[in-house]
Amino acid sequence: MSFLLSLSRFIDALNEKVGNGVSWALLISVLICTGNALVRYAFHTSSNAWLEIQWYLFSAIFLLATSYTLRRNEHVRIDVIAGRFSKRTQVWIDIFGFLVFLLPMALIILFYAVPYAWLSLQNQEVSSNAGGLIVWPAKILIPAGFLLLTLQGISELIKRIGFLQGKVHASEFEKHAATPEEEIEAIKAANNLN
C-alpha cells in the first residue's frame, strides 16, 4: 500500500502543477478575447485564428482542469444526500462512483480519443475556416485531459482505500475550502510579496 500511496501523491502533484499551469490559459483567453473585441470594433477587422485560439484555450482549461477539480474535491456531487451518511459510507459511495462511473467512462473516451487525435496529427489537420489554425493540438487535448482524469481517479481510489485501511486521513481527499478569514490572510500575504 505504501507504493500505491506514493503513486497517489505523485499523481496529485502532477495534476496540481497542470491545474496551476492551466489557470494561465484563462488569463490569456480573456486578454485575447478583449483584444479581439477591441480590434473588431475599433478597426472593423477580425480573424478566425483569434476566435479559434480562444476555443483552444477554453478546451485546454476545461479538459486539463477536470483532474485538478477532482483532486481538490470540487467536482459536482450530491452532498445534500451523501452528507447525511458517515464518513466511511461516503467513502464507499466514492469508491463505487469511481469504479462504476468515472474510470470506465474516462477509459472509454480515452480509448476512442487517442486514435482520433493521432489521425489528426498524422494528417496535420487544419481548420476549414479561412485563416484558421491547425486543429491537431486541440484534438490532442482530449486524450491528454482524459489520461489525467483517469490517473486522478486512480489516485482518489487509492486514497479512499487507504482511508478504509486506516492509512490515510480524510483530509487527504476532503474539499479544501478556505474560510473567509483564510482567504483574507492569503490575499494579505500575496500583497506583501509584491
Side-chain angles (χ1 to χ4, degrees), residues 11 22 45-46 59 71 88 93 135 155 161 167 184 192:
I11 293 168
V22 167
T45 186
S46 185
S59 298
R71 156 77 181 102
R88 197 166 184 80
I93 292 169
V135 175
S155 173
I161 292 170
K167 297 181 180 181
I184 291 169
N192 288 339

Side-chain angles (χ1 to χ4, degrees), residues 68-85:
Y68 175 79
T69 304
L70 180 60
R71 156 77 181 102
R72 298 180 61 84
N73 203 17
E74 297 284 339
H75 56 289
V76 175
R77 51 188 313 137
I78 308 171
D79 288 334
V80 175
I81 296 170
R84 297 171 191 249
F85 298 124

Side-chain angles (χ1 to χ4, degrees), residues 36 39-40 45-54 130-133:
N36 191 29
V39 167
R40 189 173 50 240
T45 186
S46 185
S47 167
N48 283 331
W50 288 111
L51 295 173
E52 288 183 12
I53 194 70
Q54 291 174 62
L133 301 174

Side-chain angles (χ1 to χ4, degrees), residues 117-191:
W118 180 248
L119 182 63
S120 182
L121 176 63
Q122 281 182 318
N123 294 333
Q124 294 293 300
E125 188 176 359
V126 177
S127 172
S128 60
N129 296 322
L133 301 174
I134 53 176
V135 175
W136 59 266
K139 289 187 176 181
I140 287 176
L141 289 171
I142 300 168
F146 280 94
L147 175 63
L148 290 172
L149 183 60
T150 299
L151 291 173
Q152 191 60 47
I154 292 168
S155 173
E156 296 303 314
L157 189 59
I158 292 168
K159 288 185 278 192
R160 297 323 191 272
I161 292 170
F163 173 81
L164 292 174
Q165 294 179 351
K167 297 181 180 181
V168 172
H169 190 269
S171 63
E172 294 263 345
F173 53 82
E174 288 177 333
K175 190 178 286 191
H176 301 286
T179 64
E181 293 80 17
E182 291 171 333
E183 289 180 6
I184 291 169
E185 289 302 317
I187 292 168
K188 286 179 183 177
N191 288 333

Side-chain angles (χ1 to χ4, degrees), residues 28-48:
I28 294 166
S29 181
V30 168
L31 293 175
I32 289 172
C33 181
T34 303
N36 191 29
L38 291 173
V39 167
R40 189 173 50 240
Y41 289 113
F43 302 108
H44 304 290
T45 186
S46 185
S47 167
N48 283 331

